[in-house]
Amino acid sequence: MSQVESDPVSAPSAPDQPAVAVEGLWKVFGPKPERIVGSDEADLPRDELMDRTGNVVAVGDASFEVAQGEIFVVMGLSGSGKSTLVRCLTRLIEPTAGRIQVAGTDVSAASAAELRDLRRKRVSMVFQHFGLLPNRRVRDNVSYGLEIAGVDRRERGERAEEVIELVGLQGFGDAYPDELSGGMKQRVGLARALAADPEVLLLDEPFSALDPLIRAEMQAEVSRLQRQMGRTMVFITHDLREALQLGDRIAVMRDGRIVQIGTAAELLDEPADDYVRDFTAEVPRALVLTAADAAEPVDPARQPPARTIAADTLLRDCIPYVADGHGLRVVDEHDETLGVLGRGRVLEAIHGGRVAPEGA
């Protein structure tokens, strides 16, 4: 892996710095992978590259930043490289080249001891498979990471009870994993990740094994926890609807490359290419886009509507309020005006195409 000349940084992220910063990240599997990085061969179709060199580009020249408190979703089909990418962020998989900074640590240049500290205290991971210890009760599973980190019994017990309540498992602290449903087991996994009070949560397809109803419940739980705790999350999924519902921004991957990064509205209204356009063609826009996505700027020459609606209200839920032809003022959580919304604007956004100004 390429190294940087400066010493690793191991301080908490400053408020104005990204929680995660990735620049030119490559992961190539095969013989002499370094020679593939940045070469013309790296642009070959995967089958042809494998035939010629015996190498596979799992992640190719990925660069992005994740703001503090953001839910950043990496979305792609099986084999797109998304799980490899998230494992590179803490060097569970050793990158071939590139620079990575996570939670104030220069991961690219970190020593083994610094990586252990990062994984134990600043970054937690939640996987698709729960990985619970079957012979330990829920509270002991939740506090296991703290035990490994050397936290005393009383403190880790108190912290376990806090996060058990936080994820809605009150009363189940004495239960064993085989006494829990799939959704409850995943809540235990989430609680275990939160117990260390990490700056960054990495979630690798955590809900893929759950049935649709429990999956929707857990998606809502992640959104609630993020609003309540303000933690930065990098969330991996192959489900576009899940990505659009959860992500503040979404990175779409294909064959190891990031094709587009944007908000749900940007992916739906401004797809970077036919791949993204085809992916988003059947998305129910009224269930994804919000009042803020469709709002138009306030005309200073006109009095804004008196009625208000929250910025994160789904367009589906805006319809009854604009059906009478009167507009709405879209406001954030501080009651600051973000724009205005009318019936024509809502219908245009729901039925597709770029969102044009009201009356255009």
Side-chain angles (χ1 to χ4, degrees):
M1 178 180 181
S2 64
Q3 302 289 316
V4 295
E5 295 180 359
S6 59
D7 292 333
V9 177
S10 297
S13 302
D16 59 344
Q17 292 181 342
V20 178
V22 175
E23 182 179 354
L25 175 62
W26 290 79
K27 178 57 187 178
V28 182
F29 292 101
K32 299 181 180 179
E34 294 82 4
R35 69 186 181 89
I36 302 298
V37 174
S39 69
D40 292 339
E41 290 177 314
D43 295 324
L44 293 172
R46 280 188 166 179
D47 290 347
E48 188 173 347
L49 179 64
M50 173 62 77
D51 290 341
R52 285 194 188 185
T53 69
N55 288 281
V56 173
V57 177
V59 179
D61 199 20
S63 297
F64 60 91
E65 292 185 350
V66 182
Q68 294 186 48
E70 180 179 19
I71 299 181
F72 185 83
V73 176
V74 182
M75 182 267 162
L77 299 178
S78 179
S80 63
K82 58 190 185 298
S83 291
T84 300
L85 185 151
V86 76
R87 283 166 168 76
C88 285
L89 296 183
T90 56
R91 284 171 58 189
L92 291 176
I93 292 178
E94 194 70 26
T96 306
R99 180 166 183 171
I100 305 165
Q101 292 191 347
V102 178
T105 295
D106 185 345
V107 177
S108 313
S111 66
E114 288 165 332
L115 286 175
R116 285 194 298 271
D117 182 77
L118 177 75
R119 296 167 187 165
R120 288 178 178 176
K121 300 177 181 178
R122 298 184 179 180
V123 179
S124 291
M125 289 198 72
V126 181
F127 297 98
Q128 174 181 349
H129 302 291
F130 315 119
L132 303 182
L133 301 171
N135 62 327
R136 288 186 170 227
R137 299 179 189 273
V138 165
R139 66 168 53 86
D140 297 321
N141 267 283
V142 169
S143 64
Y144 182 69
L146 298 177
E147 181 181 343
I148 295 300
V151 177
D152 68 70
R153 181 186 294 272
R154 179 177 178 178
E155 183 178 347
R156 66 178 186 257
E158 292 174 351
R159 179 60 181 163
E161 293 303 325
E162 288 176 7
V163 293
I164 285 172
E165 181 175 354
L166 188 66
V167 302
L169 286 176
Q170 303 95 315
F172 289 93
D174 288 324
Y176 287 96
D178 63 2
E179 299 172 331
L180 306 177
S181 68
M184 294 171 74
K185 289 177 183 177
Q186 194 57 281
R187 286 175 186 267
V188 176
L190 194 55
R192 182 174 57 190
L194 292 170
D197 197 23
E199 293 180 48
V200 178
L201 272 171
L202 307 177
L203 303 100
D204 188 8
E205 302 215 47
F207 310 143
S208 295
L210 304 179
D211 68 55
L213 289 177
I214 297 177
R215 184 169 186 160
E217 180 182 301
M218 290 304 300
Q219 290 166 0
E221 185 70 9
V222 164
S223 295
R224 181 187 70 81
L225 289 171
Q226 197 277 338
R227 289 194 301 271
Q228 185 171 341
M229 302 181 71
R231 291 294 178 267
T232 304
M233 299 185 185
V234 179
F235 191 103
I236 307 300
T237 184
H238 66 270
D239 186 319
L240 177 62
R241 191 172 299 188
E242 182 171 72
L244 295 173
Q245 289 174 346
L246 284 178
D248 295 312
R249 289 185 303 142
I250 302 107
V252 180
M253 291 192 73
R254 180 186 186 188
D255 293 339
R257 305 281 182 159
I258 294 179
V259 178
Q260 183 173 0
I261 298 176
T263 64
E266 288 167 344
L267 264 60
L268 289 172
D269 293 326
E270 303 175 18
D273 59 15
D274 289 340
Y275 179 75
V276 179
R277 183 175 293 105
D278 291 343
F279 240 125
T280 59
E282 302 302 321
V283 171
R285 300 167 64 88
L287 301 181
V288 173
L289 297 179
T290 66
D293 294 325
E296 64 177 337
V298 176
D299 184 348
R302 300 175 61 182
Q303 182 71 23
R307 295 186 304 174
T308 64
I309 196 163
D312 60 357
T313 305
L314 292 176
L315 287 187
R316 174 196 62 187
D317 299 324
C318 295
I319 294 173
Y321 298 100
V322 297
D324 60 4
H326 293 90
L328 295 166
R329 182 165 56 91
V330 181
V331 297
D332 63 15
E333 64 271 23
H334 305 296
D335 204 35
E336 295 292 330
T337 300
L338 302 180
V340 296
L341 194 61
R343 180 173 57 188
R345 185 79 165 175
V346 169
L347 293 175
E348 182 180 14
I350 288 174
H351 290 299
R354 294 175 62 90
V355 180
E358 186 81 15

